[in-house]
């Protein structure tokens, strides 16, 4: 199943810089491993915001929830999820 996910990050200003840097480094490694596995298909930064639009390709809602709640920055995120279906007018193969 494909899911469109928007993630907005708000790191508290009083979080020590070293702790924030450590969490961000863990987040990068976690997200890149998921990208390598094919589960995190696309990620785009939203200009002017600490936010992204992503596309996940996972088995079901439960797997997506497990992945998202495992993000090191999860506790600092507002997340919106929308399931995606292949459009009947699409000319691209392999998008479903």
């Amino acid at each position: 199943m494909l899911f469109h996910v928007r993630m907005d990050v708000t790191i508290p200003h009083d979080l020590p810089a070293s702790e924030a840097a450590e969490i961000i480094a863990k987040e990068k490694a976690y997200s890149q491993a998921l990208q390598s596995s094919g589960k995190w298909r696309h990620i785009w930064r939203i200009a002017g915001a600490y936010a992204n639009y992503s596309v996940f390709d996972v088995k079901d809602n439960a797997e997506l929830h497990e992945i998202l709640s495992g993000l090191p920055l999860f506790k600092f995120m507002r997340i919106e999820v929308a399931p995606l279906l292949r459009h009947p007018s699409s000319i691209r193969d392999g998008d479903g």
Side-chain angles (χ1 to χ4, degrees):
M1 292 182 72
L2 296 178
F3 292 91
H4 174 270
V5 179
R6 179 179 173 143
M7 293 177 249
D8 292 88
V9 181
T10 305
I11 296 176
H13 296 291
D14 60 349
L15 187 69
S18 60
E19 188 176 339
E22 183 179 328
I23 294 168
I24 290 167
K26 288 178 182 177
E27 181 85 9
K28 182 176 182 177
Y30 183 76
S31 71
Q32 288 181 340
L34 287 164
Q35 289 173 68
S36 293
S37 76
K39 291 183 183 294
W40 197 324
R41 238 187 193 186
H42 301 281
I43 183 170
W44 293 276
R45 173 169 282 167
I46 299 172
Y50 194 169
N52 71 76
Y53 286 123
S54 293
V55 175
F56 287 84
D57 188 356
V58 294
K59 182 177 69 171
D60 54 25
N61 295 337
E63 183 178 18
L64 180 65
H65 180 75
E66 182 179 329
I67 287 170
L68 294 177
S69 62
L71 290 165
L73 286 169
F74 180 76
K75 64 184 173 183
F76 306 123
M77 291 181 168
R78 183 176 58 86
I79 299 174
E80 297 175 11
V81 176
L84 300 173
L85 298 169
R86 183 177 172 84
H87 195 283
S89 297
S90 176
I91 62 168
R92 305 275 182 244
D93 289 333
D95 283 346

